[in-house]
Amino acid sequence: MNGAESLVATLIDQDVDICFANPGTSEMHFLAALGENPKMRSVLCLFEGVATGAADGWYRMKDKPASTLLHLGPGLANGLANIHNAKRASSGMVNIIGEHSASHLKYDPPLTSDIEGLARPLSHWVRRAESADSIAWDTAQAVAKASEHPGQIATLILPGDTSWQQTGAAPVLPPPVAAKRKTPSVERIEHVARVLRSGEPTLIILANKATRGAALEKAGRVAAATGAQLGSQFFTARIERGAGFVPISRIPYAVPQAMAFLKDFKHIVTVETREPVAFFAYPDKPSLLKAEGTMVHELVEADEDSELAFDMLLHALGATSVSAIVQPRIQTPVPTGALNPTSIAHALAAALPEHCILVDESLTTGRESIGLTIGAQPHDLINNMGGSIGYSTPVATGAALACPDRRVFCMVGDGSAMYTIQSLWTQARENLNVTTIIFANNTYAILKAEYANMGAGTPGERALSMIDIDRPSIDWQAMAKSMGVPSVAVDTAEGFYKAMVNSAREPGPCLIEVKL
Amino acid sequence: MNGAESLVATLIDQDVDICFANPGTSEMHFLAALGENPKMRSVLCLFEGVATGAADGWYRMKDKPASTLLHLGPGLANGLANIHNAKRASSGMVNIIGEHSASHLKYDPPLTSDIEGLARPLSHWVRRAESADSIAWDTAQAVAKASEHPGQIATLILPGDTSWQQTGAAPVLPPPVAAKRKTPSVERIEHVARVLRSGEPTLIILANKATRGAALEKAGRVAAATGAQLGSQFFTARIERGAGFVPISRIPYAVPQAMAFLKDFKHIVTVETREPVAFFAYPDKPSLLKAEGTMVHELVEADEDSELAFDMLLHALGATSVSAIVQPRIQTPVPTGALNPTSIAHALAAALPEHCILVDESLTTGRESIGLTIGAQPHDLINNMGGSIGYSTPVATGAALACPDRRVFCMVGDGSAMYTIQSLWTQARENLNVTTIIFANNTYAILKAEYANMGAGTPGERALSMIDIDRPSIDWQAMAKSMGVPSVAVDTAEGFYKAMVNSAREPGPCLIEVKL
C-alpha cells in the first residue's frame, strides 16, 4: 500500500469514518485511497469552510472527530474560520492538509506557504508527515489528540511524496480509547457543597458536556436539592432541551441585560466553563458581567468529568435520592399574522418535531426570543461558540450526516448565510434532512444595534450603506434553486409554521425564506 | 478626532482611497470614520475573500494599494487565500484587522485568536496599533510598506480602544513617494549582453512590471536586435497583450509540454522572476523544467527596475535605435457550432473590445487555447499567481472599480467560481462592468487530468464522485439572479460570441453560462 492508503486505513481503524473534502492536485493519491476504502464516507464540499464547519457539526452530535481534506496552505486558510469556531466549541477534528513533496518545496512553487504557521494559531496539534512509513503512527496520534476531552484540533500535513510512496501494511495500532476525563478535586466539590448549603442565591453555569445526558440530569438534581439556578452562557456547544429535559436559563447576549440577569446571584458556580464575559468590548461597559461582590467558584474544569462531579456533589449534599425537575411540554398554539421575534419563536415551538436538531445563527431575529421555545418537543440546540459568522449552514450539514434520522433546522440571518452558502450544494448532493431558515431582513441588523452600543452615534447614510445589504436584496429562492435545494418564501407566522412542518415531511433539504 | 478617524484621514493622505470591507462589531468606529470621509470609497463585500481579492485586482490595474477592513482573526482567515494570491502577484495591500480592546482581550472572549500568528505567514509587515495617537504613523508605515516594489502585504491590527479613543489631529506626514526600484547591476547587464550576442537560442522570461508599458516595449527591442525569444511563465500578474503590443510566448502549464517548449533554448534570461518550475510535483516528473545544459542568467531581480535594465541592455548591445516587432491585429471570423477550447478562443478573439481586461481562471477550458487570442484588440490579461482557487471573481471586481471605463471579462470554471461567488453581489451593488463567463463542465476537470498525471491510475466511481460536481449541477442563471446579476446561457460558439458582445453594450455586470 502507499502512504495515502495507510492513512485512510488508519483513520478507519481509529474510528474516523467520514472525510469532508475539497481536494486538489497534490491530494490525488489520498482521493484514490478514500475511493478505494468503502468504510470511509467521503463528502465533497465546494468550499473549505463548509468542510471544517461540517466536521464541527459531526463532532457535536457524535462526540467523535471527523476528518477533513484541504488543499495546501490556502485551502487550510479557507477552513480556518470554522476551525476557530470548532475549537471554541471544544469539537475535535483531524485536518489532513495536502502539501508539495519536500523535493519540490525548495523551488518555492506558487502554492507554497508556511502551512505550520497558518495551522498553529488554531490547532492544538500540528505535524508534518515525514514518510509513508510513519503516516500510520502520525494519523493515530492525530486521532488520539482530536479525541481528547475537550476535543482538540489536530492538523496533519501530508506532502505528496509521503502519500504516493509505498509502505508496508499499516501497523497494528492500539484501538481507540474513549477520552479520559479527569476527576474533579474533592476540595472543590466540598467547597461548592458548602456554598450551596448556605442557601444564598447561586447560579450554576453549565457548558460543553454538562448541558446534556446524565450530567444535565444530575445537575438538575443538585438544583432541585439546593434551590440553585441552572444557567448557560449565551452560546453553548449543544444543549439537550425542551419537554422532558432539565431546563437551563440562558444568560442574555447584551451587556446590560446580562448584568441584570446576574445581579442578584451571590455565587456563580462554573462547570466546564468560566465566569461570564461580554462578547465584545464597548467603550462604556465592563467586560466582566457579574455584580460586584458576586463570588465565582469553579466546580468542574474544562478537562474534567462533570457527570462525576455532580455525583460527588449529590453525595456531599446528601441528596442522592432527589429527583430533577424537568421541563413540561408547553403546547404552543400556531401563531398567525405578522412575523416578529415572538411569533417566529411561537411558530418554532409549535412546529419543531421530536428529536430535531436546531442550529442557531439567527442573531438579531432569534436571540432574544428563543427562550419561548423551551417547552417544545425535546431537541438539541447548537450555537456558534467562536463568533465567526458562517458557522451554521456547514454545522447543520455535518449534524445531518451524523444523525440521518433526525431533521435539522438551521436558523440563519441573510448576511450570515452568505459566508458559507456553498453548504446548500452538499446538502442537495447528500440529500440531507436540513431545513435552512433564512431570516431575510436585508441588513446586518446586529451591526445597527452594535453601532449605537459602541457609542459611534447614529449611522449616517454612508455608514448605513455598509450595514444594509438590500442593494441588491438577495433572491433566496433563486439561490436555493441554483444549488438544487427546493425552497419556499413566507411572510406570515402561519406560513412559516406550515413551511417548517412541510419541510419535515419529505427527506432531503429545503430552504425557507422568512421575509422580514 | 478619534483613532479610527485618524486612520482613515491618513489612508487618504497617503493616497489609499478605497476600502473593501466586511465589518463587524469591533469595527463600528472605523465604519463611522469611513462614512464621514467622502474621499474614501467604501465597498461592501459579503465575504472576506472577496475583499482581499478585490484589493489584489485594484492593485494590478492601479499599481497602488487598496485597503481592506476585516473582522478579527477569523475575518482575516477568510481573506487569507486571496492574500496569498496577491502576495504571489506582488500586489501591495493594506489590511486593517479589527480586534478586541486590550482590556477585553485578557478575558479571552469567543472571537479571540492569535491575529499576528495568522497574519505573519502571508504578510510582509504586521503591526498592532498601540494607541489612537500612534495610529497615523502606523498607517503611513503600512501604506509605505504596501507601496514598495514589488508590492507588499501590510497588516495593521486595530484594537477597539485605539479606534474609539480621542487623539489630536492626524499628524502631517510626508506625502507618499513612488516606490524606489533598484538599479540592476552593470555586471549582470554586460553578462547578459554577451549571452545575447552569442547568437545561441535564448529565452527571456518577463514577469511582474516587465510584461507591460515601456519595459515590455524595450524588451521587444532587445528581442528584435538579438533574435532572443520573449516568454512568460504560465501565470503572470498582468500582461499588456493583443494588437500593437510586443507579443510574449507563454510557457505551457503541463510539465511535458513545458519541457518541450524549453528544450531548445541554450540560455534562459530571467526578468523579475526565476527559472520555470512545475506548478505541482509529480511522482515521475522533474520540478525544474529547463533542459539539461540550459544555463539560467538573472537579468533583473524582483525589486529592480526592468525598464532601466532594458535601457542599459540596449545600450550595451548598441541597439538603442532598433524597433520592437509588435503583434499585428488578426481578424478572427466569428466561429459557429460546437463549443470547444478552440472555438471558445476564437469567439473571445473576435469579441474582446479594445482595452478590455481579461481575468483568467478558466483552467482546463482556457489554458491551452488562450494563445489563439494573441491577435485580438489590445487588452490586459490577468492570471492567478498563487494557485489558490477563487481568485478571479474578486480580482475582476477590484479591476472594474480601478478602471470604470473598461469592460472586465472574468473567465472562470464552475468549480472555481463557487469559492468566492459572493463577488457577484458586490458587482451588482456597484454596477460594475464585469462579464463573468462561467465554463460549466460540471466537474473539477483539472483534477481528472491531474489524477492520471499523478500516477494515481484511472479514478474509480467513488473517486470520480469527488471530482464531478454534477449532482446537483449548478444552475448558474439562478445563481446570478439570486445576487441581482442578469445572465444568459449559451451552448454554441456564435451564441457565446453574441453574449460577450451584448454584455459590453450596457454598463453593469452580467453572467454568461457557457454550457460545455
Side-chain angles (χ1 to χ4, degrees):
Chain A
M1 62 171 45
N2 63 27
E5 290 159 344
S6 172
L7 197 168
V8 173
T10 307
L11 285 175
I12 292 287
D13 275 354
Q14 301 292 310
D15 201 26
V16 175
D17 51 8
I18 194 163
C19 182
F20 297 99
N22 184 263
T25 295
S26 43
E27 292 85 52
M28 288 298 103
H29 290 84
F30 189 75
L31 206 66
L34 286 175
E36 283 159 16
N37 198 321
K39 290 180 188 157
M40 177 63 79
R41 179 158 191 180
S42 303
V43 178
L44 182 57
C45 303
L46 297 187
F47 178 70
E48 295 88 345
V50 178
T52 53
D56 182 8
W58 174 269
Y59 182 94
R60 297 216 205 181
M61 297 313 299
K62 288 276 204 187
D63 289 320
K64 70 171 193 176
S67 61
T68 69
L69 172 60
L70 310 173
H71 185 49
L72 292 97
L76 169 62
N78 279 336
L80 283 176
N82 274 333
I83 290 176
H84 167 84
N85 287 330
K87 185 179 181 221
R88 290 278 168 172
S90 300
S91 292
M93 182 185 302
V94 176
N95 300 303
I96 311 292
I97 316 297
E99 166 65 309
H100 292 305
S101 301
S103 63
H104 195 57
L105 263 183
K106 62 175 174 284
Y107 300 114
D108 193 33
L111 263 168
T112 309
S113 66
D114 174 4
I115 303 182
E116 280 90 344
L118 289 166
R120 280 210 184 94
L122 295 168
S123 299
H124 299 90
W125 181 97
V126 180
R127 182 174 295 175
R128 177 175 293 251
E130 277 194 10
S131 76
D133 293 335
S134 67
I135 275 183
W137 292 100
D138 294 335
T139 306
Q141 266 212 272
V143 177
K145 189 70 188 170
S147 306
E148 284 182 7
H149 171 76
Q152 309 276 300
I153 308 295
T155 300
L156 177 61
I157 302 166
L158 183 67
D161 48 353
T162 64
S163 186
W164 69 57
Q165 283 162 1
Q166 291 298 305
T167 178
V172 179
L173 299 160
V177 287
K180 267 218 292 229
R181 301 176 62 174
K182 291 189 190 151
T183 303
S185 89
V186 174
E187 290 70 28
R188 267 188 275 130
I189 301 286
E190 287 174 352
H191 171 73
V192 169
R194 278 192 297 275
V195 167
L196 291 170
R197 274 194 296 256
S198 75
E200 292 179 330
T202 300
L203 177 69
I204 303 175
I205 305 180
L206 307 176
N208 203 10
K209 302 290 197 283
T211 54
R212 49 193 169 96
L216 174 59
E217 192 270 336
K218 287 169 185 171
R221 289 160 63 189
V222 168
T226 63
Q229 189 169 337
L230 298 180
S232 72
Q233 307 282 4
F234 186 73
F235 293 119
T236 300
R238 177 180 156 206
I239 298 180
E240 285 181 343
R241 181 175 186 272
F245 285 113
V246 171
I248 310 174
S249 304
R250 189 181 196 187
I251 301 172
Y253 180 88
V255 172
Q257 286 90 320
M259 293 175 73
F261 177 91
L262 292 171
K263 77 175 167 33
D264 294 329
F265 293 106
K266 180 84 182 147
H267 303 279
I268 289 174
V269 173
T270 61
V271 178
E272 302 191 47
T273 187
R274 287 174 302 164
E275 72 163 290
V277 171
F279 205 85
F280 286 106
Y282 302 87
D284 58 351
K285 297 185 181 79
S287 292
L288 296 180
L289 302 173
K290 67 175 185 289
E292 217 181 302
T294 298
M295 295 174 66
V296 179
H297 314 275
E298 186 168 49
L299 176 65
V300 186
E301 292 187 0
D303 59 353
E304 293 178 342
D305 186 333
S306 45
E307 184 188 341
L308 177 57
F310 285 119
D311 273 334
M312 293 163 72
L313 188 55
L314 285 166
H315 189 81
L317 291 166
T320 49
S321 59
V322 176
S323 294
I325 297 164
V326 299
Q327 174 66 45
R329 171 85 170 106
I330 302 170
Q331 294 288 350
T332 309
V334 176
T336 56
L339 286 160
N340 54 52
T342 302
S343 66
I344 286 169
H346 284 150
L348 276 168
L352 291 182
E354 201 173 350
H355 302 313
C356 71
I357 299 165
L358 194 56
V359 180
D360 188 9
E361 195 172 25
S362 59
L363 301 183
T364 40
T365 305
R367 75 182 183 190
E368 304 306 344
S369 61
I370 189 88
L372 298 173
T373 62
I374 191 72
Q377 295 273 22
H379 61 275
D380 284 82
L381 175 66
I382 286 176
N383 288 132
N384 186 354
M385 299 298 288
S388 180
I389 299 301
Y391 103 104
S392 64
T393 62
V395 164
T397 304
L401 280 155
C403 303
D405 53 347
R406 299 173 69 176
R407 168 71 39 181
V408 180
F409 291 87
C410 174
M411 305 200 301
V412 55
D414 45 5
S416 303
M418 284 302 288
Y419 287 78
T420 47
I421 192 63
Q422 302 92 338
S423 309
L424 294 180
W425 185 85
T426 297
Q427 291 171 14
R429 182 181 186 80
E430 303 286 339
N431 199 38
L432 302 181
N433 298 325
V434 180
T435 303
T436 299
I437 300 166
I438 305 275
F439 292 113
N441 57 14
N442 293 308
T443 183
Y444 288 130
I446 191 167
L447 294 187
K448 283 192 184 160
E450 292 291 57
Y451 200 96
N453 288 341
M454 273 289 171
T458 308
E461 190 188 334
R462 283 164 49 90
L464 264 184
S465 78
M466 300 297 283
I467 297 178
D468 283 331
I469 58 171
D470 60 342
R471 291 177 300 111
S473 64
I474 293 158
D475 180 336
W476 284 102
Q477 294 204 256
M479 180 66 79
K481 179 167 185 269
S482 75
M483 288 182 269
V485 171
S487 70
V488 60
V490 299
D491 56 7
T492 62
E494 64 271 28
F496 178 44
Y497 167 81
K498 266 186 226 153
M500 280 192 285
V501 171
N502 289 341
S503 78
R505 287 215 175 105
E506 297 285 332
C510 77
L511 180 145
I512 302 171
E513 178 186 6
V514 179
K515 289 176 173 291
L516 297 176
Chain B
M1 63 172 43
N2 64 28
E5 289 161 344
S6 172
L7 197 168
V8 173
T10 308
L11 285 175
I12 292 289
D13 274 355
Q14 302 291 311
D15 201 27
V16 175
D17 51 9
I18 193 163
C19 182
F20 297 100
N22 185 264
T25 295
S26 43
E27 293 85 52
M28 287 299 101
H29 291 83
F30 189 75
L31 205 67
L34 286 174
E36 283 159 17
N37 197 320
K39 291 181 188 159
M40 176 63 79
R41 179 158 190 181
S42 303
V43 178
L44 182 58
C45 303
L46 297 188
F47 178 69
E48 295 87 347
V50 177
T52 54
D56 182 7
W58 173 271
Y59 182 94
R60 297 219 205 177
M61 298 313 300
K62 288 277 203 184
D63 289 321
K64 71 172 192 175
S67 61
T68 69
L69 172 61
L70 310 173
H71 185 50
L72 293 97
L76 168 62
N78 279 336
L80 282 175
N82 274 333
I83 289 175
H84 168 83
N85 287 329
K87 185 180 180 219
R88 290 277 166 171
S90 299
S91 292
M93 182 185 303
V94 176
N95 300 303
I96 312 292
I97 316 297
E99 165 66 308
H100 292 305
S101 301
S103 63
H104 195 57
L105 263 183
K106 62 174 174 285
Y107 299 115
D108 193 33
L111 264 168
T112 308
S113 66
D114 175 6
I115 302 182
E116 279 90 345
L118 289 166
R120 281 211 182 93
L122 295 167
S123 299
H124 298 91
W125 182 97
V126 180
R127 181 174 295 177
R128 178 176 290 252
E130 277 194 12
S131 74
D133 293 335
S134 68
I135 275 182
W137 292 99
D138 294 335
T139 306
Q141 266 213 268
V143 177
K145 188 71 188 169
S147 305
E148 284 182 7
H149 171 77
Q152 309 276 299
I153 308 296
T155 300
L156 178 61
I157 302 166
L158 183 67
D161 48 353
T162 64
S163 186
W164 70 57
Q165 283 161 0
Q166 292 298 306
T167 179
V172 178
L173 298 161
V177 288
K180 268 217 292 231
R181 300 176 61 172
K182 291 187 189 151
T183 303
S185 89
V186 174
E187 291 70 27
R188 268 188 275 131
I189 301 287
E190 286 173 351
H191 171 74
V192 169
R194 279 193 297 275
V195 169
L196 292 169
R197 273 193 297 257
S198 74
E200 294 179 329
T202 300
L203 177 69
I204 303 175
I205 305 180
L206 307 175
N208 203 11
K209 302 289 197 283
T211 55
R212 50 195 169 97
L216 175 59
E217 192 271 335
K218 287 168 185 172
R221 289 160 65 189
V222 168
T226 63
Q229 188 169 338
L230 299 180
S232 73
Q233 306 282 5
F234 185 74
F235 293 120
T236 300
R238 178 179 154 204
I239 297 180
E240 285 180 344
R241 181 174 186 273
F245 286 113
V246 171
I248 311 174
S249 302
R250 190 181 196 188
I251 302 172
Y253 179 88
V255 171
Q257 287 90 319
M259 292 175 72
F261 176 93
L262 293 170
K263 76 175 167 33
D264 293 329
F265 292 108
K266 181 84 181 146
H267 303 278
I268 289 174
V269 173
T270 60
V271 177
E272 301 191 46
T273 186
R274 286 174 304 163
E275 72 163 290
V277 172
F279 205 85
F280 286 106
Y282 302 88
D284 58 351
K285 298 185 179 79
S287 292
L288 295 180
L289 302 172
K290 66 176 184 289
E292 216 181 302
T294 298
M295 295 174 68
V296 179
H297 315 274
E298 185 168 50
L299 177 64
V300 186
E301 292 187 0
D303 58 354
E304 293 178 342
D305 186 334
S306 45
E307 183 188 342
L308 178 57
F310 285 118
D311 272 333
M312 293 163 72
L313 188 56
L314 285 166
H315 189 82
L317 291 166
T320 49
S321 59
V322 176
S323 292
I325 297 164
V326 299
Q327 174 66 45
R329 173 84 170 106
I330 302 170
Q331 294 287 352
T332 309
V334 176
T336 56
L339 286 161
N340 55 51
T342 303
S343 67
I344 286 169
H346 285 150
L348 276 168
L352 291 182
E354 200 174 352
H355 302 312
C356 71
I357 300 165
L358 194 55
V359 180
D360 188 8
E361 194 172 26
S362 59
L363 302 183
T364 40
T365 304
R367 73 182 184 191
E368 305 306 344
S369 62
I370 189 89
L372 298 172
T373 61
I374 191 72
Q377 294 274 22
H379 61 275
D380 284 83
L381 174 66
I382 286 177
N383 288 132
N384 185 354
M385 300 298 288
S388 180
I389 298 302
Y391 102 105
S392 64
T393 61
V395 164
T397 304
L401 280 155
C403 303
D405 53 347
R406 300 172 68 176
R407 169 70 40 182
V408 180
F409 291 87
C410 174
M411 306 200 303
V412 55
D414 45 5
S416 303
M418 284 303 288
Y419 287 78
T420 46
I421 193 61
Q422 302 91 338
S423 308
L424 294 180
W425 184 85
T426 297
Q427 292 171 15
R429 182 181 186 80
E430 302 287 338
N431 200 37
L432 302 181
N433 298 325
V434 180
T435 303
T436 300
I437 300 167
I438 305 277
F439 293 114
N441 57 13
N442 292 310
T443 184
Y444 288 129
I446 191 167
L447 294 187
K448 283 191 184 161
E450 293 288 57
Y451 199 95
N453 288 340
M454 273 289 169
T458 308
E461 189 188 333
R462 282 164 50 91
L464 265 183
S465 77
M466 300 297 284
I467 297 178
D468 283 330
I469 57 172
D470 61 340
R471 291 178 300 114
S473 64
I474 294 158
D475 180 336
W476 285 102
Q477 295 203 258
M479 181 65 81
K481 179 166 185 270
S482 75
M483 287 181 271
V485 171
S487 70
V488 60
V490 299
D491 55 7
T492 63
E494 64 271 28
F496 178 44
Y497 167 81
K498 265 187 226 152
M500 279 192 287
V501 171
N502 288 341
S503 78
R505 286 216 174 104
E506 297 285 334
C510 78
L511 180 145
I512 302 172
E513 178 184 2
V514 180
K515 288 174 172 292
L516 298 175

